[in-house]
Amino acid sequence: AATREGQLSRRVARCEEKMGFVGAGSDLAPRVDWLEDVLGLASEGSLEERLGAVERLLELEPFETLAAEPPAEPPAAAPPPSPAPVPAPVPVHGGRVAASPGR
């Protein structure tokens, strides 16, 4: 029961976060009531069913899907850029080599 309560609490917090609100308190029923009121929902059923309706309206992925998926691996770091090619020396009169332009 504690695990189910914790899961419901995380789902409620996720909905509140999506709406830009940080919920307070451990009593989930008033928090779900608030979510429904703000969204204009008049759903009935268990707390879990009502929360599911809120999640669907907010277009959140089902919590079960998120819990079952392994965390995404961070993208691989891009290789460092290759250094710019060094221009070849430019020959000048007299057989000497002058530095490339811009150096």
Side-chain angles (χ1 to χ4, degrees):
T3 303
R4 183 178 171 276
E5 182 84 13
Q7 183 181 23
L8 286 174
S9 179
R10 287 189 297 277
R11 289 173 63 192
V12 169
R14 195 168 62 120
C15 292
E16 291 169 337
E17 182 180 316
K18 173 82 174 192
M19 295 182 63
F21 177 76
V22 178
S26 59
D27 192 2
L28 299 177
R31 291 167 66 188
V32 173
D33 290 341
W34 179 84
L35 288 166
E36 289 176 324
D37 287 345
V38 170
L39 295 169
L41 285 176
S43 55
E44 295 181 11
S46 70
L47 187 64
E48 194 164 355
E49 292 168 335
R50 293 169 50 210
L51 186 54
V54 169
E55 289 172 324
R56 284 189 297 279
L57 189 62
L58 292 174
E59 297 180 348
L60 293 172
E61 287 203 35
F63 191 79
E64 296 78 25
T65 304
L66 296 176
E69 292 179 1
E73 292 186 23
S82 56
V86 177
V90 179
V92 293
H93 298 295
R96 296 189 331 252
V97 176
S100 297
R103 291 200 171 238

